[in-house]
Amino acid sequence: MQIVLISGLSGSGKSVALKLLEDLGYYCIDNLPATLLPQTVRLLQNEGHQHVGISVDIRGAQSLPALPDCVADLRERQLDVRVLFLEAKTEALLKRFSETRRRHPLSTRFPDLTVSECIITERETLAEIAGLAHRLDSSDLSANALRAWVRQWLALDQSQLTLIFQSFGFKHGVPLDADFVFDVRCLPNPYYDPALRPLTGRDQAVVDYLEAEALCLGMYDDVRVYLERWLPQFDRDNRSYVTVALGCTGGQHRSVWLAEKLAAHFNTHRQVLIRHREWQDWQEDK
């Protein structure tokens, strides 16, 4: 039996992720109190359900402290339990609440708090759950891109560490879910070549341009050696995911090239995902 627990900040895309699971044939439950998780799973198991998606979030705040123990208990029963935590930058969440004109779930319990204060309170309350989960920053993702990234995550072998290479543009902010951030804005920029400007780091002309530069290959070697040295420590720490974020100015050329090149190297001996945050259409096509 596979159980996918979805949690995270209000407005970060939990409903999109849960609807995707439902479309994939999962039996889905929204807003289940954490204390009911063990008996609910037992009931669904007895009914023969093999794939279950459950949302546990701030709406059941009083029962949230029980979630870590519940997850540990289910895993001791040899169940495949996967936890996904969706988050987003405060400004992105504020924009979404403004556009939908929906109230924050905490505003009923704390009517004197502003939406920003509700988001801060929610982020602090859910911090322990975030530590249990694969974190995914949806700040700059369309609904289609989020669905694609969740699909990728579901397909992973959870028994081994997954190395995620994510390109991004600093002008759009650093990803919240990054474990390591490497700034490659110091490298020569193809943007200033009119012929290369409309291309990306996956186009051969851009690859040739960057790999003709000793600085670019030096950056690649340094990051590769660093990761090869330290990833075994994460293996020993039983980590499930390590996200390596690679940022250039716009997230189009240099960071994309380096993410692709590192992924190609590590994919020969590790489980790897590639995410290009500023180029969501690539992920949607995969």
Side-chain angles (χ1 to χ4, degrees):
M1 185 181 191
Q2 183 189 90
I3 303 155
V4 178
L5 297 178
I6 296 175
S7 190
L9 303 179
S10 303
S12 62
K14 299 190 303 296
S15 297
V16 172
L18 196 65
K19 183 63 169 65
L20 170 65
L21 293 181
E22 190 172 47
D23 292 343
L24 294 175
Y26 285 69
Y27 184 94
C28 292
I29 302 173
D30 187 22
N31 191 24
L32 182 74
T35 48
L36 296 180
L37 184 59
Q39 50 265 53
T40 300
V41 169
R42 190 172 292 108
L43 173 63
L44 295 175
Q45 197 171 22
N46 291 338
E47 292 180 353
H49 294 283
Q50 294 299 310
H51 296 86
V52 176
I54 298 175
S55 172
V56 180
D57 54 46
I58 199 66
R59 292 170 292 175
Q62 292 182 334
S63 68
L64 284 177
L67 185 61
D69 287 340
C70 290
V71 171
D73 176 66
L74 292 175
R75 286 175 173 161
E76 285 178 3
R77 290 161 51 185
Q78 305 303 309
L79 297 176
D80 179 5
V81 182
R82 308 182 181 199
V83 187
L84 176 65
F85 187 90
L86 296 173
E87 56 190 333
K89 299 180 179 70
T90 298
E91 53 268 29
L93 295 174
L94 287 171
K95 181 179 179 182
R96 292 171 189 175
F97 277 108
S98 175
E99 289 173 345
T100 60
R101 299 186 178 181
R102 296 183 63 183
R103 300 178 65 187
H104 192 282
L106 287 180
S107 62
T108 301
R109 291 173 51 202
F110 305 105
D112 294 333
L113 295 184
T114 64
V115 177
S116 295
E117 291 169 337
C118 286
I119 292 170
I120 292 171
T121 301
E122 182 179 27
R123 202 184 296 277
E124 293 172 349
T125 304
L126 297 178
E128 185 174 2
I129 296 176
L132 295 174
H134 171 53
R135 296 167 56 212
L136 200 162
D137 179 3
S138 69
S139 302
D140 301 287
L141 300 183
S142 66
N144 283 340
L146 176 57
R147 282 189 284 268
W149 285 22
V150 174
R151 278 179 178 270
Q152 283 185 330
W153 174 72
L154 288 171
L156 295 174
D157 178 358
Q158 301 292 311
S159 66
Q160 58 178 305
L161 182 143
T162 300
L163 186 56
I164 302 170
F165 291 103
Q166 179 173 339
S167 69
F168 72 95
F170 272 98
K171 68 181 182 180
H172 302 296
V174 178
L176 295 174
D177 50 0
D179 295 300
F180 296 103
V181 177
F182 293 96
D183 184 348
V184 301
R185 288 175 292 184
C186 59
L187 301 180
N189 193 352
Y191 178 84
Y192 295 109
D193 184 329
L196 301 179
R197 183 174 301 173
L199 304 180
T200 73
R202 300 205 322 180
D203 290 303
Q204 191 59 46
V206 174
V207 172
D208 292 342
Y209 172 93
L210 292 170
E211 295 192 357
E213 298 284 346
L215 275 177
C216 297
L217 295 178
M219 175 71 78
Y220 163 72
D221 285 336
D222 287 346
V223 176
R224 175 182 54 80
V225 169
Y226 178 86
L227 293 174
E228 286 177 338
R229 175 176 180 181
W230 290 106
L231 281 175
Q233 299 300 322
F234 288 91
D235 288 324
R236 284 190 275 274
D237 198 36
N238 294 317
R239 284 282 295 274
S240 298
Y241 310 96
V242 173
T243 299
V244 180
L246 305 149
C248 59
T249 304
Q252 178 180 345
H253 297 106
R254 295 164 291 180
S255 61
V256 171
W257 163 76
L258 187 54
E260 293 280 338
K261 190 170 181 66
L262 288 166
H265 170 78
F266 283 95
N267 195 43
T268 61
H269 54 287
R270 284 190 174 273
Q271 183 168 239
V272 169
L273 276 184
I274 307 175
R275 292 174 175 170
H276 299 300
R277 192 185 71 180
E278 318 307 349
W279 295 86
Q280 301 167 19
D281 54 327
W282 298 355
Q283 299 304 309
E284 293 167 19
D285 291 340
K286 290 183 178 181

